[in-house]
Short mmCIF file of all heavy atoms in Angstrom, two decimals:
data_model
loop_
_atom_site.label_atom_id
_atom_site.label_comp_id
_atom_site.label_asym_id
_atom_site.label_seq_id
_atom_site.Cartn_x
_atom_site.Cartn_y
_atom_site.Cartn_z
N THR P 253 169.27 111.98 9.25
CA THR P 253 169.62 112.17 7.85
C THR P 253 168.67 113.10 7.11
O THR P 253 168.96 113.49 5.96
CB THR P 253 169.67 110.81 7.11
OG1 THR P 253 168.35 110.20 7.18
CG2 THR P 253 170.67 109.89 7.77
N LEU P 254 167.56 113.49 7.74
CA LEU P 254 166.63 114.43 7.09
C LEU P 254 167.08 115.88 7.28
O LEU P 254 166.57 116.77 6.59
CB LEU P 254 165.21 114.24 7.65
CG LEU P 254 164.56 112.86 7.39
CD1 LEU P 254 163.17 112.84 7.99
CD2 LEU P 254 164.53 112.53 5.91
N LEU P 255 167.98 116.12 8.20
CA LEU P 255 168.48 117.46 8.44
C LEU P 255 169.57 117.81 7.45
O LEU P 255 170.17 116.91 6.82
CB LEU P 255 169.02 117.58 9.87
CG LEU P 255 168.00 117.42 11.01
CD1 LEU P 255 168.70 117.47 12.35
CD2 LEU P 255 166.91 118.49 10.93
N PRO P 256 169.88 119.09 7.27
CA PRO P 256 171.02 119.48 6.41
C PRO P 256 172.28 118.79 6.87
O PRO P 256 172.46 118.51 8.07
CB PRO P 256 171.10 120.99 6.59
CG PRO P 256 169.71 121.40 6.99
CD PRO P 256 169.16 120.26 7.79
N ARG P 257 173.18 118.53 5.95
CA ARG P 257 174.40 117.76 6.25
C ARG P 257 175.18 118.34 7.42
O ARG P 257 175.70 117.62 8.26
CB ARG P 257 175.29 117.69 5.00
CG ARG P 257 176.51 116.79 5.16
CD ARG P 257 177.34 116.80 3.88
NE ARG P 257 176.56 116.29 2.77
CZ ARG P 257 176.53 114.99 2.43
NH1 ARG P 257 177.19 114.10 3.13
NH2 ARG P 257 175.80 114.60 1.39
N THR P 258 175.27 119.69 7.51
CA THR P 258 176.05 120.32 8.56
C THR P 258 175.38 120.22 9.93
O THR P 258 176.02 120.44 10.96
CB THR P 258 176.29 121.80 8.24
OG1 THR P 258 175.01 122.43 8.04
CG2 THR P 258 177.14 121.93 6.98
N GLU P 259 174.09 119.86 9.97
CA GLU P 259 173.37 119.78 11.22
C GLU P 259 172.90 118.35 11.54
O GLU P 259 172.18 118.13 12.52
CB GLU P 259 172.13 120.70 11.18
CG GLU P 259 172.48 122.15 10.90
CD GLU P 259 171.24 123.00 10.70
OE1 GLU P 259 170.12 122.47 10.98
OE2 GLU P 259 171.35 124.17 10.28
N SER P 260 173.29 117.39 10.72
CA SER P 260 172.74 116.03 10.84
C SER P 260 173.27 115.29 12.06
O SER P 260 172.61 114.35 12.53
CB SER P 260 173.06 115.24 9.56
OG SER P 260 174.45 115.19 9.33
N ALA P 261 174.43 115.65 12.59
CA ALA P 261 174.92 115.02 13.80
C ALA P 261 174.25 115.68 15.01
O ALA P 261 174.67 116.73 15.49
CB ALA P 261 176.44 115.16 13.90
N VAL P 262 173.16 115.07 15.50
CA VAL P 262 172.36 115.71 16.54
C VAL P 262 172.93 115.50 17.95
O VAL P 262 172.63 116.24 18.86
CB VAL P 262 170.90 115.21 16.48
CG1 VAL P 262 170.26 115.62 15.18
CG2 VAL P 262 170.82 113.70 16.65
N LYS P 263 173.78 114.48 18.13
CA LYS P 263 174.39 114.24 19.43
C LYS P 263 175.66 113.40 19.25
O LYS P 263 175.66 112.37 18.58
CB LYS P 263 173.43 113.50 20.35
CG LYS P 263 173.96 113.29 21.76
CD LYS P 263 174.22 114.59 22.51
CE LYS P 263 174.69 114.37 23.91
NZ LYS P 263 174.95 115.64 24.65
N ARG P 264 176.75 113.89 19.87
CA ARG P 264 178.02 113.17 19.85
C ARG P 264 178.40 112.84 21.30
O ARG P 264 178.42 113.73 22.16
CB ARG P 264 179.13 114.00 19.20
CG ARG P 264 178.87 114.34 17.73
CD ARG P 264 180.00 115.22 17.19
NE ARG P 264 179.72 115.68 15.84
CZ ARG P 264 180.11 115.08 14.73
NH1 ARG P 264 180.83 113.95 14.83
NH2 ARG P 264 179.82 115.58 13.53
N PHE P 265 178.74 111.58 21.53
CA PHE P 265 179.11 111.14 22.87
C PHE P 265 180.60 110.82 22.95
O PHE P 265 181.15 110.15 22.05
CB PHE P 265 178.34 109.88 23.27
CG PHE P 265 176.86 110.06 23.36
CD1 PHE P 265 176.04 109.68 22.29
CD2 PHE P 265 176.27 110.58 24.50
CE1 PHE P 265 174.66 109.83 22.36
CE2 PHE P 265 174.89 110.73 24.58
CZ PHE P 265 174.09 110.36 23.51
N GLN P 266 181.26 111.30 23.98
CA GLN P 266 182.62 110.89 24.26
C GLN P 266 182.55 109.59 25.05
O GLN P 266 182.14 109.59 26.22
CB GLN P 266 183.37 111.97 25.04
CG GLN P 266 183.81 113.14 24.20
CD GLN P 266 184.77 114.05 24.93
OE1 GLN P 266 184.70 114.18 26.15
NE2 GLN P 266 185.68 114.68 24.23
N ALA P 267 182.93 108.51 24.43
CA ALA P 267 182.82 107.19 25.06
C ALA P 267 183.80 106.24 24.41
O ALA P 267 184.26 106.44 23.30
CB ALA P 267 181.38 106.67 24.92
N HIS P 268 184.13 105.18 25.12
CA HIS P 268 184.94 104.08 24.61
C HIS P 268 186.35 104.56 24.21
O HIS P 268 186.64 104.79 23.04
CB HIS P 268 184.28 103.40 23.43
CG HIS P 268 182.93 102.84 23.73
ND1 HIS P 268 182.72 101.85 24.64
CD2 HIS P 268 181.70 103.18 23.23
CE1 HIS P 268 181.43 101.58 24.68
NE2 HIS P 268 180.79 102.38 23.85
N GLU P 269 187.19 104.68 25.20
CA GLU P 269 188.58 104.98 24.93
C GLU P 269 189.17 103.94 23.99
O GLU P 269 188.91 102.76 24.12
CB GLU P 269 189.37 104.99 26.24
CG GLU P 269 190.83 105.39 26.10
CD GLU P 269 191.58 105.32 27.41
OE1 GLU P 269 190.94 105.05 28.45
OE2 GLU P 269 192.79 105.55 27.40
N MET P 270 189.90 104.37 22.98
CA MET P 270 190.49 103.53 21.93
C MET P 270 189.45 103.12 20.89
O MET P 270 189.74 102.33 19.99
CB MET P 270 191.17 102.28 22.52
CG MET P 270 192.22 102.57 23.54
SD MET P 270 193.57 103.58 22.86
CE MET P 270 194.28 102.43 21.70
N GLY P 271 188.20 103.61 20.99
CA GLY P 271 187.24 103.38 19.94
C GLY P 271 186.12 102.40 20.30
O GLY P 271 186.28 101.54 21.15
N ALA P 272 184.97 102.62 19.64
CA ALA P 272 183.82 101.71 19.78
C ALA P 272 183.84 100.70 18.64
O ALA P 272 184.27 101.02 17.53
CB ALA P 272 182.52 102.51 19.77
N MET P 273 183.32 99.51 18.90
CA MET P 273 183.40 98.41 17.92
C MET P 273 182.04 97.99 17.37
O MET P 273 181.90 97.78 16.16
CB MET P 273 184.07 97.20 18.57
CG MET P 273 185.49 97.43 19.04
SD MET P 273 186.63 97.78 17.70
CE MET P 273 186.63 96.21 16.85
N VAL P 274 181.03 97.88 18.22
CA VAL P 274 179.70 97.38 17.79
C VAL P 274 178.61 98.11 18.53
O VAL P 274 178.85 98.76 19.56
CB VAL P 274 179.56 95.86 18.03
CG1 VAL P 274 180.46 95.07 17.12
CG2 VAL P 274 179.85 95.53 19.50
N CYS P 275 177.37 98.00 18.01
CA CYS P 275 176.24 98.60 18.69
C CYS P 275 174.95 97.88 18.31
O CYS P 275 174.91 97.17 17.29
CB CYS P 275 176.11 100.09 18.36
SG CYS P 275 175.72 100.45 16.64
N CYS P 276 173.91 98.05 19.10
CA CYS P 276 172.57 97.57 18.74
C CYS P 276 171.54 98.46 19.46
O CYS P 276 171.88 99.11 20.45
CB CYS P 276 172.38 96.10 19.10
SG CYS P 276 172.48 95.70 20.86
#
Side-chain angles (χ1 to χ4, degrees):
T253 61
L254 297 180
L255 295 176
R257 186 180 298 270
T258 56
E259 303 174 10
S260 57
V262 296
K263 183 64 178 180
R264 298 177 186 267
F265 297 98
Q266 284 191 328
H268 301 297
E269 184 182 356
M270 304 300 293
M273 299 296 292
V274 291
C275 67
C276 64

